[in-house]
Amino acid sequence: MAVPAGEVILTGDRPTGPLHLGHYAGSLRSRLALQAANSMTLLVADLQALTDNAGRQLDVPQNVLEVVADYLAIGIDPSRTVIALQSAIPELAELTIHYLNLVTVARLERNPTVREEIELRGFRRDIPAGFLAYPVSQAADITAFRATLVPVGSDQLPMIEQANEIARRLAHIAGAPVLPECRALLSGTPRLPGVDGRKASKSLGNAIALGARPEEIRRAVQAMYTDPDHLRVSDPGKVEGNVVFAYLDAFDPDRQEVGELKARYRRGGLGDSALKHRLDGVLQALIEPIRGRREEAIADPAGLMEIIRDGTERSREVAAGVLADVRAVFRLPTLKRNPERRG
Ligand code: TRP
C-alpha cells in the first residue's frame, strides 16, 4: 500500500484500558507510517466509551493515561501528531446536537455495526438513546477536524458512511459544501484473534497487552489455540484458524520462513512447541522496546496530561471553526460577549 501524504487524518480509540497487539496489528502500526507526511489527530474517545456503559462509572482518568502511554510507547510523536481528549472538546458535543437533526432513528437502526451490538446486548426499545446515536457523535469527531482520511477497522466503515451522509445533508441544506467528505483507510491485516481463537478483547482476558511482561507473553503463547487434531509432531496440522500462525503472519518479519513453516506444519513434522518457541521470540523482540517506553511514559502522568492538554487546546481551535460554519448553516445567532462582565 502506498503511504498517503498531505491528508488530514483523524482516528480514535475508546479508552477502556491498555491497548493490545490486536490494536497494534489493526491500526496503531499503520499510524506510525502516516504521521510523517500527514496532519494526524488521535482522539481519545472517552465519551464514546461511556455510550455502551450507560449509567456506569469507568476509571476514565486512568484509562486515558494508559492509552496515551501506549501511543507514545509505539512511537507516536506528540510534536507531529495531535493527541486530544473527546470529553474536553465541547464543540464536539454541540456538533452532535446539530447532526442529530439530520439523521433518522430508522437510519441509525440500519447501521450494521450498531445492529450487531444491539443484537449482542439484546436491546429493544430499551436501548439508551446515546448508544443508538453514537455514530452521530463519531461523525462530529470526524468532521470537526475536517478529516479526509480515517484509518479504521472494517467494522467502522458504516460510521464513515454515516459521517459522509451527514456532510452531504448539510451541503444540501446550505446549497454549498460545508464539510469535506472522508475516506476510510483499512489496515489490510485481518483481525487478530485472541489467544483462545475468539475475538481479542480485554474483557475476555485473551489479548496480549502492549506492555506485557516477558512472563505474560510466554504464558499467553503457551496457551494459544492451535489445531486440536494435531496430536503428534508427525501429524499434518491445520494452519487456518491456528492462532499461532495468525500471530506469526501479523508480526514475524521473516515472511519467507513463515511460508516454509506453514508448509511443514501442513505436511506434518513440525510440533506446536517449536512453533510457539518461534512466536515467543518474535513477540518478545517486538514488545520489549515498547514496554520500556511505556513504563517511562506511565511514570510521568503530569507529562502525559500536558500532552493531552496541548493537543486538546489545538483541537478546540479547529473544531470551533467547523462549529461556527455549521451554526451559520442553521442561522443560529451569535451573541457578542458583554465586555463589562467579568469572569
Ligand atoms: N469507534 C471507534 C472504535 O471503537 C473509536 C472512534 C471514536 C473513532 N471516534 C472516532 C474512530 C473517530 C475513527 C474516527 O474503535
Side-chain angles (χ1 to χ4, degrees):
M1 181 188 70
V3 178
E7 303 272 358
V8 178
I9 297 181
L10 180 277
T11 188
D13 297 285
R14 298 177 177 204
T16 52
L19 300 176
H20 53 68
L21 286 180
H23 298 115
Y24 186 73
S27 68
L28 295 177
R29 179 160 66 175
S30 71
R31 296 178 196 175
L32 288 182
L34 294 170
Q35 78 174 340
N38 300 275
S39 144
M40 184 161 72
T41 301
L42 303 181
L43 187 67
V44 182
D46 55 345
L47 291 179
Q48 192 176 107
L50 292 178
T51 58
D52 62 348
N53 285 284
R56 255 171 286 171
Q57 291 179 309
L58 308 178
D59 191 356
V60 178
Q62 183 57 32
N63 290 346
V64 168
L65 292 180
E66 302 276 358
V67 169
V68 179
D70 282 325
Y71 289 164
L72 302 185
I74 63 149
I76 293 296
D77 174 359
S79 72
R80 288 180 186 279
T81 296
V82 175
I83 299 174
L85 182 63
Q86 188 185 35
S87 69
I89 307 176
E91 291 77 9
L92 294 177
E94 188 179 333
L95 278 174
T96 303
I97 291 286
H98 299 307
Y99 295 169
L100 279 169
N101 291 328
L102 307 179
V103 178
T104 66
V105 172
R107 175 64 183 93
L108 286 166
E109 286 174 343
R110 271 203 307 277
N111 182 307
T113 299
V114 174
R115 262 173 99 124
E116 210 175 282
E117 288 167 316
I118 288 176
E119 214 156 286
L120 207 71
R121 282 152 211 268
F123 283 134
R124 301 178 73 82
R125 295 196 37 89
D126 59 349
I127 185 169
F131 180 47
L132 186 62
Y134 91 78
V136 179
S137 150
Q138 191 159 330
D141 298 344
I142 292 168
T143 55
F145 291 88
R146 301 189 197 277
T148 56
L149 195 63
V150 184
V152 282
S154 53
D155 63 314
Q156 296 291 303
L157 288 175
M159 310 299 163
I160 298 197
E161 201 177 304
Q162 277 207 278
N164 285 335
E165 275 175 36
I166 288 171
R168 286 195 290 270
R169 276 281 282 148
L170 202 65
H172 179 76
I173 295 163
V178 182
L179 308 164
E181 292 188 34
C182 66
R183 290 173 296 123
L185 181 67
L186 291 174
S187 77
T189 21
R191 188 189 272 281
L192 195 70
V195 168
D196 53 5
R198 291 187 291 171
K199 181 174 178 247
S201 103
K202 223 180 30 322
S203 50
L204 293 174
N206 62 356
I208 302 176
L210 289 177
R213 317 276 332 156
E215 228 352 79
E216 290 175 69
I217 299 169
R218 219 177 50 82
R219 261 187 281 118
V221 171
Q222 283 314 319
M224 269 183 191
Y225 180 86
T226 57
D227 170 5
D229 296 325
H230 184 235
L231 298 174
R232 277 174 299 259
V233 172
S234 55
D235 288 343
K238 268 209 334 244
V239 166
E240 289 68 33
N242 188 316
V243 175
V244 180
F245 277 112
Y247 278 68
L248 286 172
D249 275 337
F251 302 116
D252 194 323
D254 192 342
R255 317 297 325 144
Q256 194 185 339
E257 180 69 21
V258 172
E260 281 160 23
L261 288 172
K262 284 181 182 170
R264 258 179 69 200
Y265 196 82
R266 288 196 174 103
R267 245 185 282 130
L270 176 59
D272 281 0
S273 65
L275 200 61
K276 287 181 169 179
H277 181 72
R278 180 182 180 91
L279 178 62
D280 183 60
V282 166
L283 295 186
Q284 298 289 356
L286 171 73
I287 290 180
E288 188 193 51
I290 297 178
R291 182 176 58 237
R293 286 191 296 266
R294 194 180 193 286
E295 281 167 3
E296 227 173 273
I298 210 85
D300 179 18
L304 292 175
M305 287 313 287
E306 179 52 30
I307 288 170
I308 305 170
R309 195 182 61 82
D310 179 59
T312 302
E313 274 173 12
R314 290 203 263 164
S315 298
R316 283 197 68 181
E317 283 170 27
V318 181
V322 172
L323 179 58
D325 291 351
V326 171
R327 289 181 62 106
V329 173
F330 295 113
R331 313 210 167 143
L332 293 166
T334 313
L335 300 184
K336 291 266 181 302
R337 222 179 117 90
N338 177 355
E340 321 261 281
R341 203 183 147 96
R342 290 175 200 290

